[in-house]
Amino acid sequence: MATSQVPAAPALLELGDPVPLRVDSDVWEGHDLSFQKPGGGVRRALVVPGFAQAQAESLHEAIEECLPPSTGAGDLELMQCGEYSQAAVEGLLKPWLERQLLPLIRRQLPSVAVSSCSVRRLPSAEAECCADHGHLCTALLCLGAGGVLIQAAAARRSRRRLELRPGDLFLHHFDLAVAYNGRYLVVKLKDSLLSCLTNTAPWHDQLAQEGDADAQLALALQLEQRDAKPQEVIRWLRKSAEQGHAEAQACLGLRLGEEGLRWLHDAALQGHRAAQRQLAVCLLKSGASGEAQKWLRRAGEEDDLEAIELLVVCLVRAGSMQEALCWCLRGAELGSADLQHRAGLHLLAGEGCVKDQAAALSWLRRAAEQGHAAAQNNLGVILAAGLAGPVDLPAAQHHFAASTSDLARRNAAVAASSASGSEAQRLELSAAQRQTLQLLRAEVCELEADVQQEEDVKKEVQKLAALLQQLDSAASTAASGTGTNGKHESGASVSRPSGHGRGDSGPKSATPKRVSEAGATSALHRGEPFLLLDGMPWLSGQQVLEFMPRLMGACGKDVVSYEIQGQSVQSVQSTAPLAHYIQQIQRSEPGSAYFMMTDRLLQRPELEDLVAMPRGLSGDPERGARLSGRRWLSIGGEGAKTLLKRDPGASWHMLVLGRARWALLPPAGIATEGFQGSSEDDAFAGWQEVWLATQEMGEVMVVPPGWWYQVLLEDRVLSITAQFLAPEQLPRPEAQAESGKAGWQRRWVHLSALRCGSGSVLHFGRLP
């Protein structure tokens, strides 16, 4: 199994020998800390163990009474510019500040004044180390067990950990980057009372003029906040950057054009992870993917989550699935909800690792707890469909309700329907009985249309139709249950649209039957379209989770052509790597609908076992083998519609993901001159003789030779299509004459790209 490499915790900071600190009659022992800064000079800090051990306990008790009850992080402001907001602690805090803390600090900074005082409860998770340029120095009095992280250089690996106990004091200047967790009394100080009242930091000006690199950076950022001229901001950033200040170099790199790449590179060489990530982004835009991945890895080693997320995408596109999973797990352990979600799907499918359902669910739950909408939806799908254990509809509904995605709302309705269906009457029918029931429903629908003028007969026919519908619903509930391939309707409801230039005397609408593998041969003989159930089990149910990573690993970086279908304008053509296109189709909607089709990708040898001909259509020794043509891959988003078309041979269409609506017309449904493969007509716009069906995930639509068909997608879809020649479906003589080509059976015509639709089937929030 692929494992992540989570870095060890920062090492403990080594303290030197203590030095005596005398203030009036009080004497403490403290530790002076100093760290080299760019351009010369040092960053200073002071640790005084047990500085206010007695007061700490009293302050802690008094503050506990003022703080709102909470177990998480929070702040309580106690004083601003000399004005106390909590009278309960003023009697304890004011004497300590004036008689103990300020005299200690004024040994080095005679005119300092308290700008603010607060109590902070900080989480145990490591925060980002940063410098506080707005205050000259900060004093932390530890009120409970806690620690401080000190980062004295650009790279995070330079961080050191300082453990503190209640009553310990930690004092640091504005130029030192720190982070801390635990409970502290935080006292922030400025160089004078005037600076506190005006909220300014005038000490930066003098220090910047003297050449202090930290002050030059702070002054530049301060000027930018005051809307100073950009040239002035750049001037001070450049002065600091030229002294080797990594943060200034990174800031300068983001604000300049081509020259900025040089500064980003300088900062990246020092281990500045944001600069490393931004440099990689620039390299990716220029097409230097290999060099970009090098810098993303370096930033990832510095625990930059954004860099890790981008690196995972790059590695997946390059087909490096095992390394991608290692970085995915590292980012997941660092707290990235998106990578926790990705890791869960990888482990569930076993792509690049050994399948581990328990770990998969654990990661998905952690992502869902952070509010990741796709993780919440997909966790609900897995629980509702029983993909990783027993079905748990209440838990699934909880996750659907928490998610903000539209798919989750649709899936919640599906799960609710399944739950109510489980309480309804169930009817166990064999495949042959279900086929007979479908035939009866179709005949009753035609009869209902024929008796519109006979009210008494019409009422009786409607009662019969309702009874058959109840039987069908009960049979569907027993047959399908809930799952990613669950059928909550036995088939599409029969529709009888008004005539579309064809009159009212033609054949009425019907619906293709659903048949099993055993009934496929008989269905082929009838010469009518039908839906084959479980024809490709290797692409159904949980197997879909294995197909997508294999497809991405083999073809994810291949460039494909696609189009965006508009409502009244010509489609816009574009190209993109397959993995990128799959992310784009999430934006698809009616009027701006994405789809693509290609016959190149599925020719890969490593995918050959996944695109075998459906069971029931592959022929048998007695009747002769059925030949199948080139496989076409179609992927699209919500709102796409194919042209109305027909193929010279029979064709099969496997719906791997999504939901599609079909409109089919018999060979004579449209009058054409000679054999034409497509028509501008819309079969969904009111044809009398149209056959309507809804294809669910895992079903194979089989279309006889010469039949017209059109497909409408309601959500994201992935389908596989091929033509084939079966002895049962030899063309009519007139169809062969129309084609005008001997050997027409060798002509393979692709299916226009399908688009996905959601309906009574559970959908994953994104393609893995």
Side-chain angles (χ1 to χ4, degrees), residues 7 128 151 153-159 268 270-274 276 295-305 307-308 327 330 334:
E128 188 70 19
Q151 182 175 330
R156 289 191 94 214
R157 56 180 174 271
S158 69
R159 294 180 305 163
Q270 294 194 61
H272 192 287
R273 60 182 190 171
Q276 292 169 336
W295 287 109
L296 288 174
R297 287 186 182 92
R298 291 194 183 184
E301 290 166 357
E302 294 288 329
D303 298 339
D304 188 291
L305 279 178
I308 294 175
W327 284 107
R330 178 167 180 161
L334 289 171

PDB file of all heavy atoms in Angstrom, residues 7 128 151 153-159 268 270-274 276 295-305 307-308 327 330 334:
ATOM      1  N   PRO A   7       6.247  14.672   7.906  1.00  0.00           N
ATOM      2  CA  PRO A   7       7.474  15.099   8.583  1.00  0.00           C
ATOM      3  C   PRO A   7       7.341  15.021  10.090  1.00  0.00           C
ATOM      4  O   PRO A   7       6.252  15.128  10.654  1.00  0.00           O
ATOM      5  CB  PRO A   7       7.644  16.545   8.102  1.00  0.00           C
ATOM      6  CG  PRO A   7       6.288  16.989   7.703  1.00  0.00           C
ATOM      7  CD  PRO A   7       5.603  15.758   7.165  1.00  0.00           C
ATOM      8  N   GLU A 128       0.485  28.722  11.339  1.00  0.00           N
ATOM      9  CA  GLU A 128       1.567  29.231  10.504  1.00  0.00           C
ATOM     10  C   GLU A 128       2.383  30.254  11.285  1.00  0.00           C
ATOM     11  O   GLU A 128       1.831  31.155  11.915  1.00  0.00           O
ATOM     12  CB  GLU A 128       0.980  29.873   9.250  1.00  0.00           C
ATOM     13  CG  GLU A 128       2.008  30.260   8.221  1.00  0.00           C
ATOM     14  CD  GLU A 128       2.648  29.073   7.558  1.00  0.00           C
ATOM     15  OE1 GLU A 128       2.056  27.974   7.616  1.00  0.00           O
ATOM     16  OE2 GLU A 128       3.730  29.231   6.995  1.00  0.00           O
ATOM     17  N   GLN A 151      10.249  30.246  13.925  1.00  0.00           N
ATOM     18  CA  GLN A 151      10.816  30.018  12.593  1.00  0.00           C
ATOM     19  C   GLN A 151      11.711  31.201  12.252  1.00  0.00           C
ATOM     20  O   GLN A 151      11.232  32.286  11.936  1.00  0.00           O
ATOM     21  CB  GLN A 151       9.717  29.849  11.546  1.00  0.00           C
ATOM     22  CG  GLN A 151      10.236  29.553  10.151  1.00  0.00           C
ATOM     23  CD  GLN A 151       9.117  29.267   9.155  1.00  0.00           C
ATOM     24  OE1 GLN A 151       8.057  28.761   9.523  1.00  0.00           O
ATOM     25  NE2 GLN A 151       9.348  29.581   7.892  1.00  0.00           N
ATOM     26  N   ALA A 153      14.078  31.248   9.778  1.00  0.00           N
ATOM     27  CA  ALA A 153      14.516  31.301   8.382  1.00  0.00           C
ATOM     28  C   ALA A 153      13.318  31.041   7.476  1.00  0.00           C
ATOM     29  O   ALA A 153      12.205  30.789   7.940  1.00  0.00           O
ATOM     30  CB  ALA A 153      15.633  30.281   8.131  1.00  0.00           C
ATOM     31  N   ALA A 154      13.556  31.088   6.140  1.00  0.00           N
ATOM     32  CA  ALA A 154      12.444  30.965   5.196  1.00  0.00           C
ATOM     33  C   ALA A 154      11.842  29.566   5.186  1.00  0.00           C
ATOM     34  O   ALA A 154      10.633  29.401   5.033  1.00  0.00           O
ATOM     35  CB  ALA A 154      12.919  31.340   3.785  1.00  0.00           C
ATOM     36  N   ALA A 155      12.670  28.533   5.340  1.00  0.00           N
ATOM     37  CA  ALA A 155      12.192  27.157   5.254  1.00  0.00           C
ATOM     38  C   ALA A 155      11.526  26.726   6.557  1.00  0.00           C
ATOM     39  O   ALA A 155      12.011  27.040   7.653  1.00  0.00           O
ATOM     40  CB  ALA A 155      13.352  26.219   4.928  1.00  0.00           C
ATOM     41  N   ARG A 156      10.447  25.981   6.438  1.00  0.00           N
ATOM     42  CA  ARG A 156       9.738  25.530   7.643  1.00  0.00           C
ATOM     43  C   ARG A 156      10.569  24.547   8.452  1.00  0.00           C
ATOM     44  O   ARG A 156      10.341  24.371   9.651  1.00  0.00           O
ATOM     45  CB  ARG A 156       8.411  24.857   7.259  1.00  0.00           C
ATOM     46  CG  ARG A 156       7.357  25.818   6.748  1.00  0.00           C
ATOM     47  CD  ARG A 156       6.014  25.120   6.651  1.00  0.00           C
ATOM     48  NE  ARG A 156       5.214  25.318   7.850  1.00  0.00           N
ATOM     49  CZ  ARG A 156       4.373  24.406   8.347  1.00  0.00           C
ATOM     50  NH1 ARG A 156       4.278  23.232   7.800  1.00  0.00           N
ATOM     51  NH2 ARG A 156       3.656  24.665   9.418  1.00  0.00           N
ATOM     52  N   ARG A 157      11.511  23.872   7.786  1.00  0.00           N
ATOM     53  CA  ARG A 157      12.329  22.912   8.525  1.00  0.00           C
ATOM     54  C   ARG A 157      13.232  23.608   9.554  1.00  0.00           C
ATOM     55  O   ARG A 157      13.843  22.935  10.395  1.00  0.00           O
ATOM     56  CB  ARG A 157      13.183  22.085   7.569  1.00  0.00           C
ATOM     57  CG  ARG A 157      14.082  22.893   6.655  1.00  0.00           C
ATOM     58  CD  ARG A 157      14.895  21.981   5.743  1.00  0.00           C
ATOM     59  NE  ARG A 157      15.653  22.752   4.762  1.00  0.00           N
ATOM     60  CZ  ARG A 157      15.216  23.106   3.584  1.00  0.00           C
ATOM     61  NH1 ARG A 157      13.987  22.751   3.213  1.00  0.00           N
ATOM     62  NH2 ARG A 157      15.965  23.793   2.744  1.00  0.00           N
ATOM     63  N   SER A 158      13.307  24.942   9.483  1.00  0.00           N
ATOM     64  CA  SER A 158      14.097  25.680  10.475  1.00  0.00           C
ATOM     65  C   SER A 158      13.329  25.897  11.772  1.00  0.00           C
ATOM     66  O   SER A 158      13.895  26.424  12.740  1.00  0.00           O
ATOM     67  CB  SER A 158      14.524  27.037   9.905  1.00  0.00           C
ATOM     68  OG  SER A 158      13.387  27.890   9.747  1.00  0.00           O
ATOM     69  N   ARG A 159      12.071  25.502  11.816  1.00  0.00           N
ATOM     70  CA  ARG A 159      11.261  25.750  13.013  1.00  0.00           C
ATOM     71  C   ARG A 159      11.800  24.971  14.217  1.00  0.00           C
ATOM     72  O   ARG A 159      12.253  23.838  14.095  1.00  0.00           O
ATOM     73  CB  ARG A 159       9.802  25.360  12.772  1.00  0.00           C
ATOM     74  CG  ARG A 159       9.086  26.210  11.741  1.00  0.00           C
ATOM     75  CD  ARG A 159       7.660  25.754  11.579  1.00  0.00           C
ATOM     76  NE  ARG A 159       7.599  24.323  11.255  1.00  0.00           N
ATOM     77  CZ  ARG A 159       6.508  23.574  11.360  1.00  0.00           C
ATOM     78  NH1 ARG A 159       5.384  24.122  11.779  1.00  0.00           N
ATOM     79  NH2 ARG A 159       6.547  22.303  11.047  1.00  0.00           N
ATOM     80  N   ALA A 268      12.648  30.841  -3.628  1.00  0.00           N
ATOM     81  CA  ALA A 268      12.424  29.392  -3.655  1.00  0.00           C
ATOM     82  C   ALA A 268      13.682  28.636  -3.252  1.00  0.00           C
ATOM     83  O   ALA A 268      13.616  27.620  -2.547  1.00  0.00           O
ATOM     84  CB  ALA A 268      11.964  28.960  -5.049  1.00  0.00           C
ATOM     85  N   GLN A 270      15.770  29.482  -1.136  1.00  0.00           N
ATOM     86  CA  GLN A 270      15.918  29.576   0.322  1.00  0.00           C
ATOM     87  C   GLN A 270      14.896  28.716   1.061  1.00  0.00           C
ATOM     88  O   GLN A 270      14.904  28.674   2.290  1.00  0.00           O
ATOM     89  CB  GLN A 270      15.781  31.028   0.781  1.00  0.00           C
ATOM     90  CG  GLN A 270      16.887  31.946   0.307  1.00  0.00           C
ATOM     91  CD  GLN A 270      16.869  33.259   1.065  1.00  0.00           C
ATOM     92  OE1 GLN A 270      17.017  33.302   2.287  1.00  0.00           O
ATOM     93  NE2 GLN A 270      16.663  34.352   0.332  1.00  0.00           N
ATOM     94  N   GLY A 271      13.997  28.064   0.317  1.00  0.00           N
ATOM     95  CA  GLY A 271      12.997  27.211   0.953  1.00  0.00           C
ATOM     96  C   GLY A 271      11.678  27.888   1.232  1.00  0.00           C
ATOM     97  O   GLY A 271      10.848  27.338   1.970  1.00  0.00           O
ATOM     98  N   HIS A 272      11.445  29.078   0.650  1.00  0.00           N
ATOM     99  CA  HIS A 272      10.177  29.782   0.848  1.00  0.00           C
ATOM    100  C   HIS A 272       9.099  29.037   0.055  1.00  0.00           C
ATOM    101  O   HIS A 272       9.078  29.071  -1.171  1.00  0.00           O
ATOM    102  CB  HIS A 272      10.312  31.222   0.363  1.00  0.00           C
ATOM    103  CG  HIS A 272       9.181  32.104   0.780  1.00  0.00           C
ATOM    104  ND1 HIS A 272       7.919  32.013   0.219  1.00  0.00           N
ATOM    105  CD2 HIS A 272       9.118  33.105   1.711  1.00  0.00           C
ATOM    106  CE1 HIS A 272       7.136  32.926   0.766  1.00  0.00           C
ATOM    107  NE2 HIS A 272       7.837  33.593   1.685  1.00  0.00           N
ATOM    108  N   ARG A 273       8.205  28.382   0.745  1.00  0.00           N
ATOM    109  CA  ARG A 273       7.302  27.445   0.063  1.00  0.00           C
ATOM    110  C   ARG A 273       6.281  28.144  -0.829  1.00  0.00           C
ATOM    111  O   ARG A 273       5.931  27.615  -1.892  1.00  0.00           O
ATOM    112  CB  ARG A 273       6.586  26.556   1.078  1.00  0.00           C
ATOM    113  CG  ARG A 273       5.728  27.274   2.098  1.00  0.00           C
ATOM    114  CD  ARG A 273       5.114  26.285   3.059  1.00  0.00           C
ATOM    115  NE  ARG A 273       4.112  26.920   3.909  1.00  0.00           N
ATOM    116  CZ  ARG A 273       3.306  26.234   4.705  1.00  0.00           C
ATOM    117  NH1 ARG A 273       3.382  24.928   4.761  1.00  0.00           N
ATOM    118  NH2 ARG A 273       2.411  26.867   5.443  1.00  0.00           N
ATOM    119  N   ALA A 274       5.808  29.321  -0.446  1.00  0.00           N
ATOM    120  CA  ALA A 274       4.868  30.033  -1.316  1.00  0.00           C
ATOM    121  C   ALA A 274       5.546  30.444  -2.616  1.00  0.00           C
ATOM    122  O   ALA A 274       4.941  30.397  -3.695  1.00  0.00           O
ATOM    123  CB  ALA A 274       4.300  31.251  -0.593  1.00  0.00           C
ATOM    124  N   GLN A 276       8.087  28.822  -3.974  1.00  0.00           N
ATOM    125  CA  GLN A 276       8.269  27.582  -4.728  1.00  0.00           C
ATOM    126  C   GLN A 276       6.993  27.210  -5.479  1.00  0.00           C
ATOM    127  O   GLN A 276       7.038  26.811  -6.651  1.00  0.00           O
ATOM    128  CB  GLN A 276       8.673  26.458  -3.765  1.00  0.00           C
ATOM    129  CG  GLN A 276      10.059  26.635  -3.175  1.00  0.00           C
ATOM    130  CD  GLN A 276      10.339  25.662  -2.041  1.00  0.00           C
ATOM    131  OE1 GLN A 276       9.417  25.167  -1.389  1.00  0.00           O
ATOM    132  NE2 GLN A 276      11.618  25.385  -1.790  1.00  0.00           N
ATOM    133  N   TRP A 295       9.637  21.811  -8.266  1.00  0.00           N
ATOM    134  CA  TRP A 295       9.407  22.844  -7.262  1.00  0.00           C
ATOM    135  C   TRP A 295       8.168  22.558  -6.430  1.00  0.00           C
ATOM    136  O   TRP A 295       8.113  22.909  -5.240  1.00  0.00           O
ATOM    137  CB  TRP A 295       9.315  24.213  -7.936  1.00  0.00           C
ATOM    138  CG  TRP A 295      10.650  24.694  -8.405  1.00  0.00           C
ATOM    139  CD1 TRP A 295      11.084  24.809  -9.689  1.00  0.00           C
ATOM    140  CD2 TRP A 295      11.751  25.087  -7.579  1.00  0.00           C
ATOM    141  NE1 TRP A 295      12.379  25.257  -9.726  1.00  0.00           N
ATOM    142  CE2 TRP A 295      12.824  25.443  -8.434  1.00  0.00           C
ATOM    143  CE3 TRP A 295      11.942  25.191  -6.201  1.00  0.00           C
ATOM    144  CZ2 TRP A 295      14.054  25.872  -7.963  1.00  0.00           C
ATOM    145  CZ3 TRP A 295      13.173  25.626  -5.728  1.00  0.00           C
ATOM    146  CH2 TRP A 295      14.203  25.962  -6.603  1.00  0.00           C
ATOM    147  N   LEU A 296       7.170  21.908  -7.038  1.00  0.00           N
ATOM    148  CA  LEU A 296       5.996  21.517  -6.250  1.00  0.00           C
ATOM    149  C   LEU A 296       6.376  20.486  -5.195  1.00  0.00           C
ATOM    150  O   LEU A 296       5.851  20.505  -4.072  1.00  0.00           O
ATOM    151  CB  LEU A 296       4.907  20.961  -7.171  1.00  0.00           C
ATOM    152  CG  LEU A 296       4.181  21.985  -8.047  1.00  0.00           C
ATOM    153  CD1 LEU A 296       3.231  21.283  -9.000  1.00  0.00           C
ATOM    154  CD2 LEU A 296       3.420  23.002  -7.194  1.00  0.00           C
ATOM    155  N   ARG A 297       7.277  19.573  -5.546  1.00  0.00           N
ATOM    156  CA  ARG A 297       7.732  18.595  -4.551  1.00  0.00           C
ATOM    157  C   ARG A 297       8.454  19.295  -3.404  1.00  0.00           C
ATOM    158  O   ARG A 297       8.278  18.941  -2.234  1.00  0.00           O
ATOM    159  CB  ARG A 297       8.645  17.565  -5.205  1.00  0.00           C
ATOM    160  CG  ARG A 297       7.929  16.564  -6.111  1.00  0.00           C
ATOM    161  CD  ARG A 297       8.877  15.482  -6.596  1.00  0.00           C
ATOM    162  NE  ARG A 297       8.207  14.557  -7.489  1.00  0.00           N
ATOM    163  CZ  ARG A 297       8.166  14.679  -8.810  1.00  0.00           C
ATOM    164  NH1 ARG A 297       8.787  15.722  -9.387  1.00  0.00           N
ATOM    165  NH2 ARG A 297       7.523  13.819  -9.563  1.00  0.00           N
ATOM    166  N   ARG A 298       9.298  20.267  -3.731  1.00  0.00           N
ATOM    167  CA  ARG A 298      10.009  20.991  -2.670  1.00  0.00           C
ATOM    168  C   ARG A 298       9.033  21.734  -1.759  1.00  0.00           C
ATOM    169  O   ARG A 298       9.185  21.732  -0.534  1.00  0.00           O
ATOM    170  CB  ARG A 298      11.007  21.967  -3.282  1.00  0.00           C
ATOM    171  CG  ARG A 298      12.197  21.300  -3.964  1.00  0.00           C
ATOM    172  CD  ARG A 298      13.292  22.308  -4.246  1.00  0.00           C
ATOM    173  NE  ARG A 298      14.413  21.720  -4.947  1.00  0.00           N
ATOM    174  CZ  ARG A 298      15.539  22.371  -5.248  1.00  0.00           C
ATOM    175  NH1 ARG A 298      15.672  23.645  -4.890  1.00  0.00           N
ATOM    176  NH2 ARG A 298      16.525  21.772  -5.886  1.00  0.00           N
ATOM    177  N   ALA A 299       8.038  22.381  -2.364  1.00  0.00           N
ATOM    178  CA  ALA A 299       7.031  23.068  -1.546  1.00  0.00           C
ATOM    179  C   ALA A 299       6.220  22.064  -0.742  1.00  0.00           C
ATOM    180  O   ALA A 299       5.860  22.325   0.414  1.00  0.00           O
ATOM    181  CB  ALA A 299       6.114  23.901  -2.437  1.00  0.00           C
ATOM    182  N   GLY A 300       5.939  20.909  -1.340  1.00  0.00           N
ATOM    183  CA  GLY A 300       5.216  19.868  -0.609  1.00  0.00           C
ATOM    184  C   GLY A 300       6.004  19.362   0.578  1.00  0.00           C
ATOM    185  O   GLY A 300       5.435  19.052   1.636  1.00  0.00           O
ATOM    186  N   GLU A 301       7.324  19.255   0.435  1.00  0.00           N
ATOM    187  CA  GLU A 301       8.159  18.840   1.558  1.00  0.00           C
ATOM    188  C   GLU A 301       8.148  19.872   2.674  1.00  0.00           C
ATOM    189  O   GLU A 301       8.461  19.552   3.824  1.00  0.00           O
ATOM    190  CB  GLU A 301       9.592  18.599   1.064  1.00  0.00           C
ATOM    191  CG  GLU A 301       9.713  17.362   0.180  1.00  0.00           C
ATOM    192  CD  GLU A 301      11.029  17.304  -0.569  1.00  0.00           C
ATOM    193  OE1 GLU A 301      11.831  18.271  -0.440  1.00  0.00           O
ATOM    194  OE2 GLU A 301      11.263  16.319  -1.298  1.00  0.00           O
ATOM    195  N   GLU A 302       7.771  21.111   2.336  1.00  0.00           N
ATOM    196  CA  GLU A 302       7.589  22.162   3.340  1.00  0.00           C
ATOM    197  C   GLU A 302       6.142  22.226   3.824  1.00  0.00           C
ATOM    198  O   GLU A 302       5.723  23.195   4.461  1.00  0.00           O
ATOM    199  CB  GLU A 302       8.003  23.515   2.758  1.00  0.00           C
ATOM    200  CG  GLU A 302       9.476  23.640   2.429  1.00  0.00           C
ATOM    201  CD  GLU A 302      10.344  23.750   3.673  1.00  0.00           C
ATOM    202  OE1 GLU A 302       9.866  24.292   4.685  1.00  0.00           O
ATOM    203  OE2 GLU A 302      11.488  23.267   3.627  1.00  0.00           O
ATOM    204  N   ASP A 303       5.351  21.186   3.473  1.00  0.00           N
ATOM    205  CA  ASP A 303       3.956  21.062   3.932  1.00  0.00           C
ATOM    206  C   ASP A 303       3.037  22.141   3.370  1.00  0.00           C
ATOM    207  O   ASP A 303       2.089  22.569   4.034  1.00  0.00           O
ATOM    208  CB  ASP A 303       3.868  21.065   5.458  1.00  0.00           C
ATOM    209  CG  ASP A 303       4.610  19.891   6.083  1.00  0.00           C
ATOM    210  OD1 ASP A 303       4.823  18.899   5.370  1.00  0.00           O
ATOM    211  OD2 ASP A 303       4.972  19.976   7.269  1.00  0.00           O
ATOM    212  N   ASP A 304       3.303  22.596   2.147  1.00  0.00           N
ATOM    213  CA  ASP A 304       2.413  23.556   1.496  1.00  0.00           C
ATOM    214  C   ASP A 304       1.249  22.782   0.871  1.00  0.00           C
ATOM    215  O   ASP A 304       1.421  22.073  -0.127  1.00  0.00           O
ATOM    216  CB  ASP A 304       3.172  24.341   0.424  1.00  0.00           C
ATOM    217  CG  ASP A 304       2.346  25.475  -0.151  1.00  0.00           C
ATOM    218  OD1 ASP A 304       1.368  25.180  -0.850  1.00  0.00           O
ATOM    219  OD2 ASP A 304       2.684  26.634   0.102  1.00  0.00           O
ATOM    220  N   LEU A 305       0.066  22.930   1.450  1.00  0.00           N
ATOM    221  CA  LEU A 305      -1.078  22.133   0.996  1.00  0.00           C
ATOM    222  C   LEU A 305      -1.494  22.472  -0.433  1.00  0.00           C
ATOM    223  O   LEU A 305      -1.854  21.585  -1.208  1.00  0.00           O
ATOM    224  CB  LEU A 305      -2.263  22.336   1.945  1.00  0.00           C
ATOM    225  CG  LEU A 305      -2.229  21.509   3.231  1.00  0.00           C
ATOM    226  CD1 LEU A 305      -3.425  21.828   4.098  1.00  0.00           C
ATOM    227  CD2 LEU A 305      -2.199  20.025   2.917  1.00  0.00           C
ATOM    228  N   ALA A 307       0.413  23.448  -2.829  1.00  0.00           N
ATOM    229  CA  ALA A 307       1.379  22.819  -3.722  1.00  0.00           C
ATOM    230  C   ALA A 307       1.132  21.323  -3.821  1.00  0.00           C
ATOM    231  O   ALA A 307       1.220  20.730  -4.911  1.00  0.00           O
ATOM    232  CB  ALA A 307       2.797  23.096  -3.224  1.00  0.00           C
ATOM    233  N   ILE A 308       0.824  20.687  -2.709  1.00  0.00           N
ATOM    234  CA  ILE A 308       0.560  19.240  -2.726  1.00  0.00           C
ATOM    235  C   ILE A 308      -0.671  18.933  -3.569  1.00  0.00           C
ATOM    236  O   ILE A 308      -0.683  17.984  -4.359  1.00  0.00           O
ATOM    237  CB  ILE A 308       0.399  18.716  -1.289  1.00  0.00           C
ATOM    238  CG1 ILE A 308       1.731  18.834  -0.531  1.00  0.00           C
ATOM    239  CG2 ILE A 308      -0.075  17.272  -1.290  1.00  0.00           C
ATOM    240  CD1 ILE A 308       1.647  18.456   0.931  1.00  0.00           C
ATOM    241  N   TRP A 327       1.507  11.487  -2.115  1.00  0.00           N
ATOM    242  CA  TRP A 327       1.327  12.908  -1.810  1.00  0.00           C
ATOM    243  C   TRP A 327      -0.097  13.201  -1.355  1.00  0.00           C
ATOM    244  O   TRP A 327      -0.330  14.069  -0.501  1.00  0.00           O
ATOM    245  CB  TRP A 327       1.683  13.753  -3.021  1.00  0.00           C
ATOM    246  CG  TRP A 327       3.154  13.883  -3.234  1.00  0.00           C
ATOM    247  CD1 TRP A 327       3.910  13.287  -4.196  1.00  0.00           C
ATOM    248  CD2 TRP A 327       4.063  14.656  -2.443  1.00  0.00           C
ATOM    249  NE1 TRP A 327       5.229  13.638  -4.061  1.00  0.00           N
ATOM    250  CE2 TRP A 327       5.356  14.487  -2.989  1.00  0.00           C
ATOM    251  CE3 TRP A 327       3.913  15.480  -1.336  1.00  0.00           C
ATOM    252  CZ2 TRP A 327       6.481  15.105  -2.463  1.00  0.00           C
ATOM    253  CZ3 TRP A 327       5.035  16.099  -0.810  1.00  0.00           C
ATOM    254  CH2 TRP A 327       6.299  15.912  -1.374  1.00  0.00           C
ATOM    255  N   ARG A 330      -0.271  12.347   2.221  1.00  0.00           N
ATOM    256  CA  ARG A 330       0.446  13.338   3.030  1.00  0.00           C
ATOM    257  C   ARG A 330      -0.407  14.590   3.216  1.00  0.00           C
ATOM    258  O   ARG A 330      -0.537  15.119   4.331  1.00  0.00           O
ATOM    259  CB  ARG A 330       1.776  13.692   2.375  1.00  0.00           C
ATOM    260  CG  ARG A 330       2.555  14.757   3.137  1.00  0.00           C
ATOM    261  CD  ARG A 330       3.978  14.844   2.658  1.00  0.00           C
ATOM    262  NE  ARG A 330       4.727  15.861   3.379  1.00  0.00           N
ATOM    263  CZ  ARG A 330       6.046  15.909   3.427  1.00  0.00           C
ATOM    264  NH1 ARG A 330       6.756  14.994   2.809  1.00  0.00           N
ATOM    265  NH2 ARG A 330       6.655  16.866   4.091  1.00  0.00           N
ATOM    266  N   LEU A 334      -2.251  16.220   6.591  1.00  0.00           N
ATOM    267  CA  LEU A 334      -2.022  17.614   6.970  1.00  0.00           C
ATOM    268  C   LEU A 334      -3.319  18.406   7.077  1.00  0.00           C
ATOM    269  O   LEU A 334      -3.306  19.575   7.446  1.00  0.00           O
ATOM    270  CB  LEU A 334      -1.088  18.288   5.959  1.00  0.00           C
ATOM    271  CG  LEU A 334       0.375  17.839   6.008  1.00  0.00           C
ATOM    272  CD1 LEU A 334       1.151  18.392   4.824  1.00  0.00           C
ATOM    273  CD2 LEU A 334       1.032  18.266   7.314  1.00  0.00           C
TER     274      LEU A 334
END
